[in-house]
Amino acid sequence: MSYRRRIGTMALVVSMLLSRGALDTGWAEIAAAAPIRSSPSSCNRAAFRVIVDVGHTVDRHGVLSARGATEYRFNLRLANQIEQMLVAAGFGKTVELITAASPPRGLFERAARANDLRADLFLSIHHDGVPDAFVEKWEYDGSEHSFSDRFKGHSIFISYDNGNPTGSLRFGRLLGNQLKARGLQYTPHYAEKFMGNRQRKLVDAEAGVYRYDQLIVLRSTRMPAVLLEAGSIVNRDEELLLESPERQAAIAAAVTDAVEAFCVARAPRKPARAARRPGV
Protein backbone atom coordinates (compact mmCIF):
# COMPACT_ATOMS: atom_id res chain seq x y z
CA MET A 1 0.00 0.00 0.00
CA SER A 2 1.37 3.42 -0.90
CA TYR A 3 2.28 6.00 1.74
CA ARG A 4 -0.54 8.34 0.69
CA ARG A 5 -3.05 5.51 0.79
CA ARG A 6 -1.90 4.47 4.28
CA ILE A 7 -2.28 8.04 5.51
CA GLY A 8 -5.73 8.28 3.94
CA THR A 9 -6.80 5.02 5.56
CA MET A 10 -5.55 6.15 8.97
CA ALA A 11 -7.40 9.44 8.63
CA LEU A 12 -10.60 7.56 7.75
CA VAL A 13 -10.25 5.26 10.77
CA VAL A 14 -9.67 8.16 13.13
CA SER A 15 -12.65 10.00 11.64
CA MET A 16 -14.89 6.95 12.17
CA LEU A 17 -13.71 6.52 15.76
CA LEU A 18 -14.30 10.15 16.53
CA SER A 19 -17.79 10.05 15.03
CA ARG A 20 -18.64 7.06 17.22
CA GLY A 21 -17.20 8.66 20.37
CA ALA A 22 -14.67 5.84 20.68
CA LEU A 23 -11.75 8.02 21.67
CA ASP A 24 -11.40 8.77 25.36
CA THR A 25 -9.76 11.87 26.82
CA GLY A 26 -6.27 10.37 26.76
CA TRP A 27 -6.42 9.49 23.06
CA ALA A 28 -7.92 12.86 22.22
CA GLU A 29 -5.02 14.58 23.93
CA ILE A 30 -2.51 12.43 22.02
CA ALA A 31 -4.13 13.49 18.76
CA ALA A 32 -4.03 17.16 19.80
CA ALA A 33 -0.54 17.11 21.28
CA ALA A 34 1.57 17.77 18.21
CA PRO A 35 2.16 21.44 17.41
CA ILE A 36 0.55 22.68 14.21
CA ARG A 37 3.42 23.50 11.90
CA SER A 38 2.72 26.45 9.69
CA SER A 39 4.35 27.42 6.46
CA PRO A 40 7.59 29.43 6.69
CA SER A 41 6.81 32.77 8.27
CA SER A 42 8.44 36.01 9.27
CA CYS A 43 9.20 34.55 12.71
CA ASN A 44 12.94 34.17 13.22
CA ARG A 45 12.78 31.21 15.57
CA ALA A 46 16.54 30.86 15.87
CA ALA A 47 16.82 34.38 17.29
CA PHE A 48 13.67 34.37 19.46
CA ARG A 49 14.45 33.62 23.11
CA VAL A 50 11.86 32.15 25.46
CA ILE A 51 12.47 31.79 29.19
CA VAL A 52 10.63 28.78 30.63
CA ASP A 53 10.65 29.41 34.37
CA VAL A 54 10.24 26.41 36.68
CA GLY A 55 8.05 27.68 39.51
CA HIS A 56 9.24 27.20 43.12
CA THR A 57 12.35 25.31 44.26
CA VAL A 58 13.33 21.91 45.63
CA ASP A 59 13.21 23.23 49.20
CA ARG A 60 10.26 25.61 48.75
CA HIS A 61 8.26 23.20 46.65
CA GLY A 62 4.85 24.89 46.46
CA VAL A 63 1.65 22.96 47.18
CA LEU A 64 1.40 19.23 47.70
CA SER A 65 -0.79 17.22 45.35
CA ALA A 66 -3.73 15.12 46.48
CA ARG A 67 -1.37 12.14 46.62
CA GLY A 68 1.55 13.94 48.26
CA ALA A 69 3.75 14.87 45.28
CA THR A 70 5.32 18.33 45.26
CA GLU A 71 4.24 21.05 42.88
CA TYR A 72 7.90 21.63 41.99
CA ARG A 73 8.09 18.10 40.59
CA PHE A 74 5.08 18.78 38.36
CA ASN A 75 6.49 22.16 37.32
CA LEU A 76 9.91 20.77 36.43
CA ARG A 77 8.56 17.91 34.37
CA LEU A 78 6.18 20.11 32.36
CA ALA A 79 8.83 22.80 31.85
CA ASN A 80 11.22 20.14 30.52
CA GLN A 81 8.59 19.01 28.04
CA ILE A 82 7.90 22.57 26.91
CA GLU A 83 11.59 23.39 26.50
CA GLN A 84 12.23 20.26 24.45
CA MET A 85 9.29 20.92 22.16
CA LEU A 86 10.25 24.56 21.63
CA VAL A 87 13.83 23.61 20.77
CA ALA A 88 12.59 20.90 18.39
CA ALA A 89 10.40 23.52 16.71
CA GLY A 90 13.43 25.71 16.02
CA PHE A 91 13.42 27.98 19.08
CA GLY A 92 16.98 27.03 19.92
CA LYS A 93 17.63 29.91 22.31
CA THR A 94 14.97 28.70 24.76
CA VAL A 95 16.25 28.70 28.35
CA GLU A 96 14.81 26.63 31.18
CA LEU A 97 15.22 28.75 34.30
CA ILE A 98 15.77 27.09 37.68
CA THR A 99 16.76 28.95 40.83
CA ALA A 100 17.57 27.69 44.30
CA ALA A 101 17.09 30.90 46.30
CA SER A 102 13.95 31.18 48.41
CA PRO A 103 11.37 33.90 47.77
CA PRO A 104 11.28 36.81 47.58
CA ARG A 105 14.98 37.00 46.65
CA GLY A 106 14.71 34.05 44.28
CA LEU A 107 11.76 35.63 42.48
CA PHE A 108 13.68 38.85 41.83
CA GLU A 109 16.64 36.74 40.66
CA ARG A 110 14.43 35.00 38.09
CA ALA A 111 13.22 38.30 36.68
CA ALA A 112 16.74 39.77 36.67
CA ARG A 113 18.10 36.73 34.86
CA ALA A 114 15.41 36.99 32.18
CA ASN A 115 16.13 40.70 31.78
CA ASP A 116 19.90 40.09 31.53
CA LEU A 117 19.31 37.49 28.82
CA ARG A 118 17.20 40.02 26.91
CA ALA A 119 14.49 37.42 26.49
CA ASP A 120 11.64 37.98 24.08
CA LEU A 121 9.10 36.13 26.23
CA PHE A 122 8.87 34.85 29.80
CA LEU A 123 6.64 31.92 30.79
CA SER A 124 6.45 30.73 34.40
CA ILE A 125 5.12 27.19 34.96
CA HIS A 126 3.05 26.33 38.03
CA HIS A 127 0.31 23.95 39.19
CA ASP A 128 -2.60 25.05 41.34
CA GLY A 129 -3.84 24.46 44.85
CA VAL A 130 -6.87 25.88 46.69
CA PRO A 131 -7.48 28.14 49.70
CA ASP A 132 -7.44 26.28 53.02
CA ALA A 133 -11.20 26.71 53.42
CA PHE A 134 -11.82 24.24 50.58
CA VAL A 135 -9.39 21.54 51.71
CA GLU A 136 -10.62 18.07 52.71
CA LYS A 137 -8.74 15.04 54.00
CA TRP A 138 -8.49 11.53 52.63
CA GLU A 139 -6.25 8.51 53.00
CA TYR A 140 -4.04 7.40 50.14
CA ASP A 141 -1.39 4.70 50.23
CA GLY A 142 -1.63 4.48 54.02
CA SER A 143 -1.18 8.20 54.69
CA GLU A 144 -3.51 11.15 55.17
CA HIS A 145 -3.43 13.80 52.44
CA SER A 146 -5.25 17.02 51.60
CA PHE A 147 -7.41 17.38 48.50
CA SER A 148 -10.18 19.42 46.93
CA ASP A 149 -12.19 18.18 43.96
CA ARG A 150 -14.22 21.39 43.83
CA PHE A 151 -12.15 23.11 41.13
CA LYS A 152 -10.30 21.96 38.03
CA GLY A 153 -8.72 23.55 34.97
CA HIS A 154 -5.82 25.84 34.14
CA SER A 155 -5.49 29.60 34.56
CA ILE A 156 -3.29 32.27 32.99
CA PHE A 157 -2.03 35.38 34.79
CA ILE A 158 -0.50 38.64 33.57
CA SER A 159 0.55 41.86 35.29
CA TYR A 160 -0.34 45.33 34.06
CA ASP A 161 2.84 46.50 35.83
CA ASN A 162 4.97 44.35 33.52
CA GLY A 163 7.41 46.07 31.17
CA ASN A 164 5.20 45.13 28.21
CA PRO A 165 1.63 44.56 29.44
CA THR A 166 0.16 44.71 25.94
CA GLY A 167 2.46 41.95 24.77
CA SER A 168 1.75 39.95 27.92
CA LEU A 169 -1.98 40.06 27.28
CA ARG A 170 -1.47 39.16 23.62
CA PHE A 171 0.56 36.06 24.49
CA GLY A 172 -1.83 35.14 27.32
CA ARG A 173 -4.72 35.18 24.85
CA LEU A 174 -2.79 33.13 22.29
CA LEU A 175 -1.89 30.53 24.91
CA GLY A 176 -5.40 30.35 26.31
CA ASN A 177 -6.88 29.88 22.86
CA GLN A 178 -4.38 27.16 21.99
CA LEU A 179 -5.22 25.29 25.20
CA LYS A 180 -8.91 25.70 24.44
CA ALA A 181 -8.41 24.38 20.90
CA ARG A 182 -7.04 21.19 22.47
CA GLY A 183 -10.13 20.71 24.58
CA LEU A 184 -8.65 22.07 27.82
CA GLN A 185 -10.80 24.37 29.95
CA TYR A 186 -9.71 27.16 32.26
CA THR A 187 -11.05 27.46 35.79
CA PRO A 188 -13.36 30.46 36.37
CA HIS A 189 -13.26 30.35 40.17
CA TYR A 190 -10.56 33.03 40.54
CA ALA A 191 -13.15 35.64 39.53
CA GLU A 192 -15.55 34.64 42.33
CA LYS A 193 -15.98 36.68 45.51
CA PHE A 194 -15.58 33.61 47.72
CA MET A 195 -11.86 33.61 46.77
CA GLY A 196 -11.37 36.60 49.08
CA ASN A 197 -7.89 38.10 48.73
CA ARG A 198 -7.13 35.57 46.00
CA GLN A 199 -9.89 36.89 43.77
CA ARG A 200 -8.55 38.15 40.42
CA LYS A 201 -10.02 40.21 37.59
CA LEU A 202 -10.78 38.13 34.50
CA VAL A 203 -9.53 40.26 31.60
CA ASP A 204 -10.31 37.73 28.84
CA ALA A 205 -13.25 35.41 29.44
CA GLU A 206 -12.63 33.45 26.23
CA ALA A 207 -8.98 32.61 26.81
CA GLY A 208 -9.05 32.49 30.62
CA VAL A 209 -6.56 35.32 31.29
CA TYR A 210 -6.53 36.93 34.74
CA ARG A 211 -4.86 40.08 35.98
CA TYR A 212 -2.47 39.67 38.92
CA ASP A 213 -0.27 42.76 39.18
CA GLN A 214 1.59 41.76 42.34
CA LEU A 215 3.41 38.69 41.02
CA ILE A 216 7.11 39.57 41.14
CA VAL A 217 8.19 37.47 38.15
CA LEU A 218 5.56 39.20 36.01
CA ARG A 219 5.86 42.80 37.13
CA SER A 220 9.68 42.86 37.33
CA THR A 221 10.33 41.46 33.85
CA ARG A 222 10.79 43.88 30.97
CA MET A 223 9.57 41.51 28.26
CA PRO A 224 6.02 40.10 27.87
CA ALA A 225 5.46 37.67 30.73
CA VAL A 226 2.79 35.13 31.60
CA LEU A 227 2.30 32.71 34.49
CA LEU A 228 0.51 29.45 33.68
CA GLU A 229 -1.19 27.41 36.38
CA ALA A 230 -1.40 24.22 34.30
CA GLY A 231 -4.15 22.68 36.42
CA SER A 232 -5.15 21.70 39.93
CA ILE A 233 -2.99 18.98 41.46
CA VAL A 234 -5.13 18.92 44.62
CA ASN A 235 -8.06 17.74 42.51
CA ARG A 236 -7.70 13.95 42.62
CA ASP A 237 -8.83 13.29 39.05
CA GLU A 238 -6.98 16.21 37.49
CA GLU A 239 -3.78 15.26 39.29
CA LEU A 240 -3.76 11.96 37.41
CA LEU A 241 -4.37 13.72 34.09
CA LEU A 242 -1.55 16.19 34.76
CA GLU A 243 0.73 13.24 35.53
CA SER A 244 0.06 11.73 32.12
CA PRO A 245 2.50 12.20 29.22
CA GLU A 246 -0.51 12.91 26.99
CA ARG A 247 -1.64 15.96 28.98
CA GLN A 248 1.90 17.27 29.32
CA ALA A 249 2.46 16.91 25.58
CA ALA A 250 -0.83 18.68 24.81
CA ILE A 251 0.11 21.64 27.02
CA ALA A 252 3.62 21.80 25.57
CA ALA A 253 2.19 21.79 22.05
CA ALA A 254 -0.22 24.58 22.94
CA VAL A 255 2.67 26.64 24.30
CA THR A 256 4.77 26.00 21.21
CA ASP A 257 2.03 27.07 18.81
CA ALA A 258 1.26 30.14 20.93
CA VAL A 259 4.96 31.12 20.97
CA GLU A 260 5.19 30.79 17.20
CA ALA A 261 2.04 32.87 16.66
CA PHE A 262 3.35 35.51 19.05
CA CYS A 263 6.73 35.55 17.30
CA VAL A 264 5.04 35.98 13.92
CA ALA A 265 2.82 38.80 15.20
CA ARG A 266 5.72 40.82 16.58
CA ALA A 267 8.18 40.19 13.74
CA PRO A 268 9.06 43.38 11.82
CA ARG A 269 7.47 43.50 8.42
CA LYS A 270 9.67 43.68 5.38
CA PRO A 271 9.58 47.13 3.78
CA ALA A 272 7.38 47.22 0.74
CA ARG A 273 9.20 47.47 -2.53
CA ALA A 274 8.83 50.75 -4.39
CA ALA A 275 6.64 50.44 -7.47
CA ARG A 276 8.62 50.36 -10.67
CA ARG A 277 8.02 53.23 -13.04
CA PRO A 278 7.02 52.29 -16.59
CA GLY A 279 10.04 51.84 -18.80
CA VAL A 280 12.48 51.50 -15.86
Side-chain angles (χ1 to χ4, degrees), residues 178-248:
Q178 285 293 340
L179 292 167
K180 184 178 179 180
R182 287 164 169 81
L184 304 180
Q185 300 294 321
Y186 78 87
T187 176
H189 75 276
Y190 274 105
E192 301 294 339
K193 290 184 179 180
F194 60 68
M195 290 298 289
N197 61 3
R198 294 181 65 176
Q199 183 184 14
R200 306 294 171 221
K201 180 177 177 58
L202 186 62
V203 295
D204 191 308
E206 290 295 321
V209 182
Y210 291 93
R211 177 180 174 180
Y212 191 173
D213 291 341
Q214 293 74 31
L215 287 172
I216 294 173
V217 294
L218 299 185
R219 76 181 189 189
S220 297
T221 40
R222 292 195 288 266
M223 72 295 302
V226 161
L227 186 144
L228 171 65
E229 295 278 4
S232 176
I233 55 174
V234 297
N235 180 301
R236 291 174 293 183
D237 291 337
E238 189 158 62
E239 177 192 9
L240 297 178
L241 289 173
L242 291 164
E243 280 268 17
S244 70
E246 296 81 16
R247 175 61 65 86
Q248 293 163 32

Side-chain angles (χ1 to χ4, degrees), residues 3-64:
Y3 176 79
R4 286 187 176 181
R5 186 171 297 178
R6 288 200 304 271
I7 294 298
T9 302
M10 290 172 62
L12 177 61
V13 171
V14 171
S15 177
M16 292 172 62
L17 288 172
L18 285 170
S19 66
R20 296 174 186 173
L23 295 183
D24 62 12
T25 302
W27 283 106
E29 288 180 355
I30 291 174
I36 301 171
R37 293 276 66 85
S38 61
S39 58
S41 67
S42 56
C43 170
N44 185 355
R45 300 180 192 178
F48 191 89
R49 170 160 284 162
V50 184
I51 301 293
V52 182
D53 172 51
V54 181
H56 300 291
T57 68
V58 173
D59 296 327
R60 301 291 292 272
H61 53 65
V63 302
L64 291 175

Side-chain angles (χ1 to χ4, degrees), residues 61 63-71 73-74 130 132 134-149 233-236 239 243:
H61 53 65
V63 302
L64 291 175
S65 76
R67 292 168 177 81
T70 67
E71 180 191 349
R73 174 182 164 227
F74 279 86
V130 295
D132 292 341
F134 303 122
V135 169
E136 301 177 63
K137 300 292 184 180
W138 75 312
E139 187 173 304
Y140 173 77
D141 200 21
S143 300
E144 186 179 72
H145 297 279
S146 299
F147 79 96
S148 176
D149 294 336
I233 55 174
V234 297
N235 180 301
R236 291 174 293 183
E239 177 192 9
E243 280 268 17

Side-chain angles (χ1 to χ4, degrees), residues 73-182:
R73 174 182 164 227
F74 279 86
N75 297 345
L76 179 61
R77 187 169 45 195
L78 180 56
N80 287 341
Q81 182 83 309
I82 292 171
E83 181 204 18
Q84 291 169 19
M85 197 171 289
L86 283 170
V87 171
F91 294 96
K93 284 192 172 183
T94 299
V95 174
E96 184 177 25
L97 185 59
I98 299 174
T99 57
S102 300
R105 191 188 82 183
L107 300 176
F108 285 109
E109 285 183 0
R110 295 170 193 261
R113 177 63 174 156
N115 292 334
D116 290 343
L117 288 171
R118 301 184 66 181
D120 297 287
L121 184 63
F122 182 93
L123 175 64
S124 189
I125 301 300
H126 289 256
H127 289 75
D128 222 348
V130 295
D132 292 341
F134 303 122
V135 169
E136 301 177 63
K137 300 292 184 180
W138 75 312
E139 187 173 304
Y140 173 77
D141 200 21
S143 300
E144 186 179 72
H145 297 279
S146 299
F147 79 96
S148 176
D149 294 336
R150 181 167 180 173
F151 311 116
K152 63 179 180 179
H154 61 269
S155 48
I156 296 169
F157 297 94
I158 64 168
S159 171
Y160 282 13
D161 293 334
N162 169 258
N164 189 338
T166 301
S168 299
L169 179 56
R170 181 183 299 119
F171 179 70
R173 283 172 169 159
L174 288 168
L175 177 56
N177 288 329
Q178 285 293 340
L179 292 167
K180 184 178 179 180
R182 287 164 169 81

